[in-house]
Amino acid sequence: MKHLLTLIDLFAGAGGLTHGFRSAGFKPVYAVEVDKQAAATYRANFGDHIFVGRIEDVEVVPVRADVIVGGPPCQGFSPLGKMSPTERHPELNGLWREYFRIVEQVGPTAFVIENVPEILKSKEFEGIKDTAVRLGYELAHGVLNAADFGVPQRRRRAFIVGLRNGVPSLPQPTGEAATVRDAIGDLPLTPDGVNWHIGRNT
């Protein structure tokens, strides 16, 4: 029987990364999310294996996994985040260290970090690279645009991929293109009790 690759999602939110990896054949086995509403959404879609609380409070991860993914807080790196209260930004910016504390504890074959593009120009990125190399990972990093992969949204995000026993690479654009009409053009113009989309300017 073929081994099903297992996945841990840190800073999981509602499970966007988990959804993508599960669609690619991975089995989610553990997640961490501090926001209770996001964690409840994750639990409803992926199971009860989520720790609801601060990542700093996770002393021992109870499972092993082949891959760890996660998107540490981006407020301190994002231009939009700089419009919000900034007193917690230094603390949030440093949570990548907690991510790698768990990477070191679990020892996955690979890890993936997703964040805003500005993280790649930050001093924290230098720490990320040094830590990953110390733990035995080769790195690939760069900025990908969701629109280049068939998603009807221009969304540029930084990805940092670490791999043991190999040289990682980022995916190449698929050449697919999609519009918002392609994605939701079949929905009724007004909510009908099933489709509850409401425009932000409505």
Side-chain angles (χ1 to χ4, degrees):
M1 182 176 178
K2 185 178 179 181
H3 170 63
L4 192 64
L5 294 175
T6 51
L7 180 77
I8 289 174
D9 193 345
L10 308 176
F11 309 101
L17 284 172
T18 292
H19 175 70
F21 273 81
R22 188 173 70 173
S23 298
F26 287 74
K27 178 184 178 182
V29 294
Y30 189 71
V32 178
E33 174 53 44
V34 69
D35 183 273
K36 293 180 180 178
Q37 284 74 32
T41 300
Y42 181 101
R43 180 179 288 112
N45 285 290
F46 305 108
D48 199 35
H49 54 258
I50 186 167
F51 174 87
V52 184
R54 305 188 316 152
I55 192 171
E56 302 96 308
D57 296 331
V58 177
E59 295 183 3
V60 177
V61 174
V63 294
R64 302 290 93 184
D66 298 296
V67 178
I68 290 179
V69 301
C74 65
Q75 290 93 329
F77 306 115
S78 170
L80 184 61
K82 289 180 173 57
M83 298 168 61
S84 65
T86 59
E87 63 273 5
R88 289 197 63 215
H89 285 182
E91 173 192 352
L92 295 174
N93 286 2
L95 286 179
W96 64 266
R97 295 181 178 86
E98 294 294 326
Y99 179 99
F100 277 102
R101 177 177 64 85
I102 292 179
V103 167
E104 184 171 17
Q105 181 187 125
V106 174
T109 300
F111 69 80
V112 178
I113 294 174
E114 175 266 346
N115 212 289
V116 294
E118 288 77 11
I119 194 174
L120 299 180
K121 299 177 181 178
S122 70
K123 64 180 181 180
E124 284 81 5
F125 180 54
E126 297 304 314
I128 289 171
K129 289 191 293 185
D130 291 345
T131 302
V133 170
R134 176 177 63 80
L135 296 179
Y137 293 91
E138 295 281 346
L139 285 185
H141 55 83
V143 177
L144 301 177
N145 189 337
D148 294 331
F149 296 88
V151 177
Q153 180 186 31
R154 295 188 187 96
R155 183 174 177 82
R156 299 175 68 253
R157 303 295 283 184
F159 287 87
I160 305 166
V161 179
L163 181 65
R164 277 182 170 161
N165 305 318
V167 179
S169 61
L170 297 182
Q172 295 300 308
T174 62
E176 300 174 12
T179 66
V180 172
R181 183 178 297 277
D182 293 332
I184 61 173
D186 59 333
L187 295 178
L189 294 178
T190 57
D192 62 3
V194 175
N195 298 292
W196 286 101
H197 63 290
I198 299 174
R200 64 185 299 176
N201 297 322
T202 301

